[in-house]
Every structure is written in C-alpha cells, then in structure tokens.
Amino acid sequence: MFIELMPSFTLDDKLCSAVASATVVPKHITIQLYIKLLIWLKMSPAIRGQRIQDQPVIDFQGCFMLFKKEKKKLALKRMLNFNVPPVKNSTGEPVWKVLIYDRFGQDIISPLLSVKELRDMGITLHLLLHSDRDAIPDVPAVYFVMPTEENIDRMCQDLRNQLYESYYLNFISAISRSKLEDIANAAIGANAVTQVAKVFDQYLNFITLEDDMFVLCNQNKELVSYRAINRPDITDTEMETIMDTIVDSLFCFFVTLGAIPIIRCSRGTAAEMVAVKLDKKLRENLRDARNSLFTGDTLGAGQFSFQRPLLVLVDRNIDLATPLHHTWTYQALVHDVLDFHLNRVNLEESAGTESTPAGARPKKKNKKSYDLKVAESVQQELESYRAQEDEVKRLKSIMGIEGEDEGAISMLSDNTAKLTSAVSSLPELLEKKRLIDLHTNVATAVLEHIKSRKLDVYFEYEEKIMSKSTLDKSLLDMISDPDAGTPEDKMRLFLIYYISSAQAPSEIDLEQYKKALMDAGCNLAPLSYIKQWKAFTKMASAPTSYGNATPKPLGLFSRVMNTGSQFVMEGVKNLVLKQQNLPVTRILDNLMEMKSNPETDDYRYFDPKMLRGSDSSVPRNKNPFQEAIVFVVGGGNYIEYQNLIDYVKGKQGKHVLYGCSELFNATQFIKQLSQLGQK
C-alpha cells in the first residue's frame, strides 16, 4: 500500500514528508516514475555524494503474506541446523560446519539466504560438491544436493576419503532405495557408518524468487522448456519424463506449503497431463497414512487458512502474446533488457570518460553484479534516515552548538544521550542510502535501452494492438523505421500483431510484412512456428482477448514524476499504465470467484482428498477461494506475475502465488520459437 497525494503538491517539504511516510514502493511502478523518484532522492543533501562501494543486497518485498517464502527459509535454516529447529535469540555460538551443495542447491539457497545469514547459522565455508575440496577432518559437513548418480558417486568418494568429521546428507527431492543402498555400501566400505549422522529428503525442489513467486528449475531448464514440450518430434517417453519432472517439483512445493490443493486445468493440454499426474501422486501419498507428508505437524503448520488453496494449471499456449510484449514496469523491464538472473542483475559500466591515448588498448568496461530482490521500500529507508538526521539538526540547534566539535557536544548533560544515539545511527542510515544509488544505476541502465530502442513507442503501439484500439501509424512504417528498435523488437511487434488478429493477414499483405522484416534483418523462423500454432489451436478461431484497458489512477510516483526534473527522461514518453486483466488473470478470476464463463466452464476439477478421482468439470466446492496458486506449464514471465499482483490488490483478504516451469524474457522465448520454427 502506498499513499496518494493531492494534485496540488509539488516537490516541497510536504512531498518530502509524504514520501518519507509511504510504506512500500510497488514493483509494478513505471520505469520513468521510478527514475524520477530516485533522482529526487539523490538530489537530497543527505544523499548527495554517496556512491556504491561494494555489492549490497536490495530486497524487493512482495505486498502481502510471507507464508510461502518464510516457510522455505525456515526449512533451509532447519536443515542447516542439523535438521533441528533453530533456537531464537540464542546467545551461544552456533556449531561451525561446512555446506556442500550442487548447482541445484546453490540456485535454491542463493535467492533466500545471504552469506551473512549462512555465517549466522554456523556455515564457515560453502563449496560446490564437484569442486576440488581439501579434507577438514574435525568439522561436520551438511550436504544439500539432488540425488543423481553423479552426485551419489562423489558423496561416496568423500566418505572413502574421510573428508569430514560427520556427514548430514540432505536430498533436494526424494532419493530412491537403490541409491540409498549405494551410500550405505560406501559407508561400510570406508568404515564410516557412524560418521553418517542423518539422511533426509527435504522436498525443496523449487526456487523461490519472491514472497509470491516461484519457478521450478534453473539448471537444465531446457528439459522442461516451452520448446521441449511443443517439439513436433517429441516421443511419448520424453513427454512422460518432462511431466514427471514438473510434477515432482510441484509435489515438493505443496509438501513445503503443507496444503492439499483443489486442482483445475484446461483439457487437452500439457497442463492436463500435469494435473492428472499430480492428483495421482498426492492421492497416493495421502493413502499411505503412516508415511504421508501431509499429516500431523506438517499439515497443521502449513495451512495458511481454514480453506484449502486452489491450484490453477494453465498451458503457455493459451497466451503467446504476453511473453513477447514490451513492458513498462520496473521489474519486468530489468528482466527484459538487462542480464537479470535469480534476482541478480549484471551491468556493464564504462571505465570512465578520459580519452584513450592513440595506439593504447581501449579501457575495458567494468562488470558489476547486484542482488536485486527487487524493491524494498525506498521510502522506508528515507523515513528512518530523515527522521534521525532531523533529530540531530534539531538538537544541535536547540543547544546552540551547530558547527561545534564532538568534544563540546559530549560535555552536555540531558540531551547528550539523545544526540549521541542519533549520531551513532547515522553511519547505518547512510549505508542504507547506498541502496538508492544502486537502484539508480540499474534504472539508468534500463533507461538507456528505452531511449536507444524506443521501447516506449513499442509498448504504446503493442498496447493498442492488444486492446484493439485505433493505430496512429501503420505496422509497415513501424517495421521499416531504421531508428526504432532492434530486429528482435520488430519481430516481437509483428508476432503480437499476428497472434492478436482475429483474422490472419492475406497472403499478399503477409509477403509485404515478411519483406519488410527481412529488410530489417529479422529471422523469420519464429513466424513459421506461430503460423503453425495458430492453424492448429482453438486460438485461430477465438483469439485471446485482452479486454478494454482503463487508465490506472495516478499515485504517489506519478505525481513525483509529473512535478520533478525532466532532464533524465528527455526523449521518453510519459506513458500512463492501463489496468487490464491478462488471459491468465482472467482465468484465475473466473475459477477463484466461481464465475460461469465459457472460457473456463470446461476446466477439469481434481480433489486429491476424494477417495475416487473423476473426470468432472463441476466443482464440488461452491464457495469462492481465498488463496490460489497459478502455475504456467511451459514458462512464465514477470508481466503476468505483476498483473496478478495488481489484480489481487483489489481483492481484500485474497492471496495469489505465481509459479512457472521456467522464467524467461522475450529474447529467450523468441529463441525457443525460432528453434521450433526451424523444425
């Protein structure tokens, strides 16, 4: 939630106090508004001159409950504490230990726990399983790995080499009996049976990026990608393997959540295959009462309300336009135009503006990497900083010692404690201000892409295409303009037009478009696949509707931008985001609110708690759901995620999580379409 300002406010003291008292910077604010706010903050005397000195962490908190992200963090902390719940406010030193993980484990831990948090848990060293590791015989080791043949062999080798004092083996997903026997045989052969302290299946085979967003995998994601699922030459065995991989991760997710969902899915898609397999897996686990993962303490702790959550499984093929869309929100733009990966963004910064002597090597660009767990409240930091800075100034003014040295201050009596406390807290507050500089660097890098590629023009044009509004410029002119965008931008624009059109363009028109695209340097392979896709899906006769967009009300950041300095945004349109429900959000709304709609009336219904499964589309539960998980089979994106967050903000008491088999940006998606088009 954030405060609204009256239109008459300008960048004066009232606005300063308003920004200082706001609580959350929304992830979905437009890039231009975000830069305006950052620039206004940087122009404050308290901030001027602060520079990035290392790589601080910025948290981008979600807008509501932390139940899922916090549950996973607690599960990881419990694992790192030898699978014993950590004691809060413990004054004693932790048991020092070594953490050994594979790439899968690294991807799961890195977005959730910082190096400092690992150190607080007693982790002195964290190493990759397959790296060269020296023996540390007097320290216990915690392993966190996938139960693959390669990993099991290396763990058996560690046992034979007596690398550590004791071994706590934690597997990301369930280990098979045969592999467990391999470890047991290796332990017996190395006379290390007593050193293997614990063996656990952790069921943590998914990556949490936000409080309300998760993705199934990062390593080997091409195995469950949109291309892998939609390959024309895929065999039944390969498809079964892909579905089993997705179901295994979803099962882990619900074990961690501690809840049995009601499952809804469309018919005749990969999402239906996932739903059938997940329903079966949950049903079998519930049937085994002695070994069920959803009974006793686990289930009681995991229920986040008395009502069970709704799981909506959708197929990527219901909407191929949104992943290609040029966006206008901060987090999605960072993902679209920068190297943004598992909440970490890599930037290339020039080494300086000094001229290079003739014949000398050109200076290399500096590569900087930042953790962007996108947007902990800038205003919260500002509020804390300004309050204490003002307190220092006020006390100095009252005591008449402005400009005096610290010796004079220390001789004062009653107000000395207050002043000392305020002064001592300033370094910490100044440290927080460096976060603003960090976001300024990232936002400015995004802005350079917007200006050079005219992304604001593309965003506005695509919005008109998708909402069936009147176009003020012909599509051929947009494609033929040499100064507007890259060949990929032009291809994305045309594919959105082709997908969104109720009727495909005539062969004559299509040839004109193809010629213009080829002249612009575009690869036409993605278009070949989209033509096939449109011909063989229901979308050909009923194209995706994006509804009529309505302007969103101006909030705090819109007003800051409208009243702030214009020099940074020169050449960029001042666009107002429009509120519209994307297809995934519309489907969720229909199913969550139990609305009758032709789009979702035929969706299958699964309840794993029922003794017998059914092929029914009629839900047994007639009450609207309060919690829901939307999962996209075939890949998701930040645009859909933020659209869902916008939707749920208007639904008091409701909570939605967004998940996908992989998280891709438009460049990665169009590459997959290109590979499919070349088949």
Side-chain angles (χ1 to χ4, degrees):
M1 184 183 295
F2 56 96
I3 62 171
E4 297 285 333
L5 295 182
M6 296 299 291
S8 59
F9 275 38
T10 55
L11 285 176
D12 54 14
D13 292 338
K14 289 184 179 179
L15 183 56
C16 294
S17 62
V19 174
S21 61
T23 55
V24 173
V25 174
K27 296 176 279 200
H28 60 279
I29 66 171
T30 65
I31 186 65
Q32 59 206 124
L33 306 193
Y34 197 75
I35 292 176
K36 284 292 181 178
L37 176 67
L38 290 169
I39 289 206
W40 172 70
L41 294 176
K42 283 177 70 68
M43 292 174 68
S44 164
I47 300 162
R48 194 179 299 133
Q50 295 298 313
R51 287 291 173 267
I52 298 171
Q53 296 167 6
D54 55 13
Q55 297 175 8
V57 174
I58 300 180
D59 283 329
F60 228 82
Q61 292 285 4
C63 302
F64 46 80
M65 305 173 60
L66 310 182
F67 63 84
K68 189 218 16 133
K69 187 173 182 179
E70 286 305 307
K71 279 188 70 66
K72 189 163 185 184
K73 282 186 75 169
L74 287 172
L76 287 173
K77 287 184 176 181
R78 180 185 177 116
M79 178 195 76
L80 295 175
N81 199 43
F82 305 124
N83 286 289
V84 176
V87 180
K88 290 184 179 179
N89 304 321
S90 175
T91 54
E93 280 198 358
V95 177
W96 301 110
K97 59 191 88 76
V98 177
L99 172 63
I100 310 297
Y101 47 48
D102 61 359
R103 292 290 183 188
F104 290 90
Q106 185 181 38
D107 289 343
I108 291 167
I109 291 173
S110 60
L112 291 172
L113 297 174
S114 65
V115 173
K116 180 184 181 303
E117 287 176 297
L118 290 176
R119 193 66 47 81
D120 292 341
M121 293 295 298
I123 303 296
T124 57
L125 203 58
H126 41 93
L127 301 166
L128 284 167
L129 175 66
H130 294 282
S131 61
D132 294 329
R133 291 175 280 118
D134 296 325
I136 314 176
D138 55 346
V139 173
V142 176
Y143 284 74
F144 184 54
V145 297
M146 286 291 284
T148 63
E149 290 283 355
E150 188 182 15
N151 287 349
I152 299 298
D153 290 345
R154 186 58 187 262
M155 292 165 73
C156 292
Q157 183 182 326
D158 288 355
L159 289 170
R160 288 190 288 269
N161 293 340
Q162 298 283 310
L163 289 188
Y164 307 109
E165 177 189 62
S166 55
Y167 302 82
Y168 294 80
L169 309 182
N170 299 275
F171 296 101
I172 295 170
S173 59
I175 185 173
S176 66
R177 183 180 179 86
S178 61
K179 291 175 183 174
L180 208 52
E181 289 173 354
D182 291 342
I183 295 174
N185 291 332
I188 293 168
N191 196 24
V193 174
T194 56
Q195 292 174 273
V196 180
K198 291 182 180 179
V199 180
F200 274 85
D201 291 327
Q202 291 293 343
Y203 293 98
L204 293 173
N205 190 17
F206 60 97
I207 300 168
T208 307
L209 297 177
E210 298 280 348
D211 299 326
D212 37 30
M213 182 182 192
F214 69 98
V215 60
L216 292 197
C217 63
N218 177 53
Q219 302 296 322
N220 302 332
K221 62 182 179 182
E222 64 278 357
L223 299 180
V224 294
S225 65
Y226 178 83
R227 172 181 173 270
I229 295 171
N230 291 277
R231 275 171 40 218
D233 58 347
I234 190 169
T235 64
D236 290 345
T237 306
E238 289 172 329
M239 181 61 91
E240 287 288 323
T241 303
I242 293 170
M243 296 299 107
D244 287 339
T245 303
I246 293 173
V247 168
D248 177 66
S249 292
L250 278 175
F251 181 77
C252 291
F253 172 82
F254 284 106
V255 170
T256 304
L257 193 64
I260 306 291
I262 302 290
I263 305 171
R264 302 297 304 272
C265 70
S266 55
R267 293 178 181 269
T269 63
E272 184 182 24
M273 297 176 67
V274 171
V276 170
K277 284 180 171 288
L278 181 61
D279 174 65
K280 182 183 177 184
K281 192 170 180 108
L282 289 168
R283 196 182 296 278
E284 288 174 351
N285 190 266
L286 286 170
R287 195 175 295 158
D288 184 3
R290 228 171 72 180
N291 299 313
S292 175
L293 298 163
F294 296 94
T295 56
D297 295 338
T298 306
L299 185 62
Q303 290 290 81
F304 49 88
S305 84
F306 291 108
Q307 191 189 55
R308 289 162 62 193
L310 170 70
L311 170 63
V312 180
L313 291 169
V314 296
D315 193 278
R316 179 70 274 159
N317 283 312
I318 66 159
D319 176 19
L320 294 188
T322 297
L324 298 167
H325 187 24
H326 290 87
T327 184
W328 199 244
T329 58
Y330 179 59
Q331 190 176 18
L333 261 171
V334 170
H335 189 233
D336 189 12
V337 303
L338 300 181
D339 181 10
F340 185 43
H341 183 66
L342 292 182
N343 290 347
R344 178 172 283 277
V345 62
N346 296 303
L347 295 181
E348 276 196 355
E349 299 178 354
S350 57
T353 56
E354 301 98 3
S355 58
T356 305
R361 283 184 178 181
K363 290 189 176 181
K364 288 185 178 179
K365 289 188 174 181
N366 296 323
K367 283 193 174 181
K368 290 197 174 183
S369 181
Y370 303 123
D371 281 338
L372 259 197
K373 296 176 189 169
V374 203
E376 182 140 332
S377 163
V378 173
Q379 295 107 311
Q380 283 181 340
E381 307 291 351
L382 186 66
E383 176 184 7
S384 173
Y385 179 80
R386 284 188 183 280
Q388 296 202 34
E389 183 190 44
D390 291 345
E391 180 69 6
V392 173
K393 291 178 180 177
R394 188 181 68 81
L395 290 171
K396 282 188 173 185
S397 178
I398 290 173
M399 294 180 282
I401 56 167
E402 290 180 290
E404 294 290 331
D405 60 15
E406 290 299 319
I409 297 173
S410 64
M411 296 176 65
L412 298 171
S413 55
D414 191 33
N415 282 327
T416 301
K418 291 182 182 178
L419 182 61
T420 304
S421 173
V423 169
S424 63
S425 66
L426 283 178
E428 180 187 348
L429 296 165
L430 286 169
E431 184 75 9
K432 290 180 180 180
K433 292 283 83 47
R434 292 180 29 264
L435 303 182
I436 297 170
D437 277 333
L438 192 159
H439 266 303
T440 303
N441 281 6
V442 173
T444 304
V446 170
L447 187 64
E448 288 303 314
H449 283 272
I450 293 173
K451 288 181 176 180
S452 63
R453 293 163 55 183
K454 295 189 177 179
L455 299 184
D456 51 335
V457 176
Y458 277 93
F459 167 75
E460 189 176 29
Y461 199 89
E462 289 166 4
E463 285 281 296
K464 289 178 179 177
I465 290 174
M466 295 165 77
S467 60
K468 307 292 190 291
S469 302
T470 306
L471 303 177
D472 52 4
K473 187 177 182 180
S474 77
L475 184 60
L476 268 177
D477 289 344
M478 282 287 293
I479 295 171
S480 304
D481 186 349
D483 298 324
T486 62
E488 183 186 284
D489 291 324
K490 298 175 192 293
M491 194 70 220
R492 285 165 63 179
L493 173 64
F494 181 73
L495 290 178
I496 289 172
Y497 164 75
Y498 193 89
I499 292 167
S500 302
S501 298
Q503 194 169 5
S506 65
E507 284 300 320
I508 296 173
D509 290 342
L510 189 58
E511 286 304 316
Q512 281 186 316
Y513 287 128
K514 280 184 176 180
K515 184 179 183 307
L517 288 167
M518 291 180 70
D519 290 344
C522 298
N523 174 13
L524 297 184
L527 178 58
S528 300
Y529 174 74
I530 293 296
K531 285 176 68 178
Q532 297 169 27
W533 167 83
K534 189 150 185 170
F536 291 105
T537 62
K538 295 177 183 178
M539 307 297 282
S541 55
T544 301
S545 169
Y546 291 85
N548 294 320
T550 56
K552 292 169 69 173
L554 284 177
L556 167 64
F557 299 102
S558 300
R559 305 199 192 287
V560 170
M561 194 205 73
N562 291 339
T563 54
S565 168
Q566 295 292 327
F567 72 95
V568 172
M569 300 303 297
E570 184 180 354
V572 178
K573 291 190 176 185
N574 181 4
L575 300 175
V576 177
L577 277 181
K578 297 181 178 181
Q579 183 64 55
Q580 60 185 14
N581 285 343
L582 295 175
V584 168
T585 307
R586 265 204 331 274
I587 289 168
L588 172 73
D589 181 53
N590 292 336
L591 297 174
M592 200 172 182
E593 301 294 340
M594 306 302 291
K595 295 177 181 177
S596 178
N597 190 295
E599 193 174 19
T600 53
D601 284 346
D602 196 39
Y603 269 50
R604 289 190 66 179
Y605 178 93
F606 297 89
D607 185 350
K609 283 192 173 183
M610 299 297 293
L611 289 175
R612 292 181 181 178
S614 69
D615 193 32
S616 172
S617 299
V618 181
R620 293 174 179 271
N621 175 38
K622 301 296 183 183
N623 298 319
F625 289 88
Q626 297 302 309
E627 291 92 16
I629 299 103
V630 178
F631 185 83
V632 185
V633 179
N637 53 80
Y638 278 107
I639 304 173
E640 285 175 338
Y641 162 64
Q642 291 170 353
N643 192 251
L644 283 167
I645 298 309
D646 286 341
Y647 159 80
V648 85
K649 281 180 181 176
K651 306 286 183 180
Q652 190 171 3
K654 294 187 183 291
H655 308 286
V656 175
L657 280 70
Y658 179 78
C660 49
S661 50
E662 67 163 329
L663 185 67
F664 48 53
N665 59 21
T667 300
Q668 294 160 342
F669 186 51
I670 211 165
K671 182 180 178 182
Q672 293 189 37
L673 296 180
S674 178
Q675 291 168 336
L676 288 168
Q678 292 168 356
K679 295 288 183 182

